[in-house]
Amino acid sequence: MGIRSSDSAVADRNGADRKLMLVALGVVFGDIGTSPLYALRECFNPDHGIAVNEANILGLLSLILWSLVLVISIKYVGIVLRADNRGEGGVLALSTLVSTATPNWKLWGPVSAVGLFGAALFFGDGFVTPAISVLSAMEGLEVASPQLERFVLPGAVAVLTGLFLMQRHGTGAMGRLFGPVTLTWFLTLAALGLLHIGESPGVLLAINPMYAVHFFINNGGMGFVTLASVFLAVTGGEALYADMGHFGRAPIRKGWFMVVWPALVLNYFGQGALLMNNPLAVANPFYLLAPGWLLPLLIVLATCATIIASQAVISGVFSVTRQALNLGYLPRLRVKHSSEQEIGQVYVPTVNWLLFAGTLTLIISFRSSSALAGAYGIAISSTMLIDTILVMMLLRVRQEPHNRKMVALLTLILIAELAFFCSNLLKFDDGGWLPVLVAIGIYVLMSTWQEGRRTLAWLIAREQMPVRDFLSMIEKDPPLRVEGTAVYLAAEAGGMPRALLNNLKFNRVLHQRNVLLTFVRPEVPFVQSEERIEVQNLGEGLWRVTARYGFMETPNVVTALRGAEEKGLAYEPESTVYVVGRENPTFTTGSGMPLWRKRLFAFMGRNSQLAAIHFGVPSHRLLEVSSQVKL
């Protein structure tokens, strides 16, 4: 009986893993899974001057294969997935993990800045990926019939408009279709590739990495330029790490090695085999893999796959926005939870419409996926470099015996990624400047908000009255007490909040019970429920409540007070008033941040979501108290 129960448990666990792997196919691998639409075609872009002959075809296929092996299979799947921050991945989670792991406090600032810029680059990617993916799918209409070329651009605009309009409804219903559709897509990739490999099995010689070496020898400088196009085959690899928190390591690894990697390799090799037999097919080797009767269905399937890839990137941008908000890198924005079951499913309206405007501008400006390819690589290659550097730092800090081998292997991969990055830099004038400019702009916004908040918090803390002095003051000169409870949102769990002191100073009254509620953000994604709430009785009807929320969680005043109630603090919602302070900065010159950054910080503050709304304060019991601070 015991053996049967054990077998049943194993079967249930394996079944759950398979379902999770199926869902992960759509969310995690959507971006890299659509690369065959344009990667090999761009390698033979006429601007590169690479002849469509057998030697070059084998060389490029070898480069693509070994790039997938080194960058995705070994680096991300084999090494980087181990560097999780309590199960969460992504460049922000990684930078906070490195900062907390290193004993050298001088490195905290640079590591934080690198992670912040990596997140900013991811935002830049969020503009380009939907544009290039959907455009490349719609360009199949040209292959089906030259007369349909005029519908490519309007079709891409219509698809993306519908996609961004659907974001406010959440991805739950659509998400259930992601896995099966993406599995169908990968099986189709594999089948189309096998069909042509069988006709030209000599293409399998590209497994030998020496063909990649000969490619550079034969093509010299233009071979290096073509590396930027080869890199298109691994774009989307960073999503494996960023989405780890939703699925865990095992489903991602199984999905990659069992489905995605074999399908991609077979399709690329199939395209190579097609080009060996018909060099003219270089105009669009992916769609020309399919027989004529299958082409309309393939265009529909490719469009669905690119929508899924775009959705995965958009959802990733929402997730990174939420992390940045909770870590204090962005002003408060409205965040809507689109699922009651899945904590990671969020919708950020402001970011959604900014992405929509940016993506639409790219499509109308560049008009083709080939033109957009130049704008695609710099941001992603930079993000991958940052991931590699941060993981190497983490491995060196931890100083475990087997880490030396991984650092040595990552050093080799870092050299390859530097080559990709330098090759992409050559496309800076062809559109590569765009995501970099977006990333710089977002980095300036985030770093300005972070520095402004830090300065503001220091100025307020410097003027705060210690709790001991406050208790002594009201003991010597007791104020008038009124019935009920007042909850004051305090930014720091230290002295007395300015809102309480101003209320006492001007109104000369104090509630019978006063609660100082502070939300603390430990640099972890989630906080255990038993560690979330801390209650301290300070005396004289004064209580301090500290509520801890990770950067993947959403703080809430009522929920925190309910938790405090379980630890002895009486909470009566209908006799409680919530007091929120608002600090209005005034500008001074000659100290601190430059004046333009102070003005930018103030502008962001004025346009941020009200603290009361952000923290879920009941509006019918809210009192706001304003004060000025010289910044």
Side-chain angles (χ1 to χ4, degrees), residues 126-156:
F127 287 96
V128 183
T129 296
I132 191 173
S133 298
V134 174
L135 263 178
S136 61
M138 297 303 297
E139 284 166 353
L141 295 173
E142 300 176 21
V143 179
S145 173
Q147 287 76 22
L148 297 177
E149 181 181 356
R150 66 181 184 274
F151 295 108
V152 170
L153 203 62

Side-chain angles (χ1 to χ4, degrees), residues 79-86 88-103 107 111 241 244 249 386-404 406-407 410:
I79 298 176
V80 176
L81 286 183
R82 300 183 184 185
D84 65 293
N85 191 338
R86 295 197 181 187
E88 289 296 323
V91 67
L92 278 180
L94 179 58
S95 63
T96 56
L97 184 64
V98 176
S99 296
T100 53
T102 179
L107 290 175
V111 168
Y241 182 49
M244 179 172 59
R249 297 187 192 94
I386 289 171
D387 284 344
T388 305
I389 292 168
L390 289 177
V391 170
M392 290 175 70
M393 291 178 65
L394 183 64
L395 291 173
R396 290 183 66 87
V397 167
R398 288 180 172 175
Q399 294 182 344
E400 296 174 6
H402 62 282
N403 284 358
R404 293 182 179 179
M406 287 194 286
V407 169
L410 283 173

Side-chain angles (χ1 to χ4, degrees), residues 15 30 47 74 78 84 140 175 257 277 280 286 291 358 373 397 400 403-404 413 440 474 518 610 619:
D47 293 340
I74 296 177
D84 65 293
F257 286 114
N277 291 328
L280 295 178
F286 173 79
V397 167
E400 296 174 6
N403 284 358
R404 293 182 179 179
I413 295 171
I440 291 173
I474 63 172
T518 301
L610 295 175
S619 58

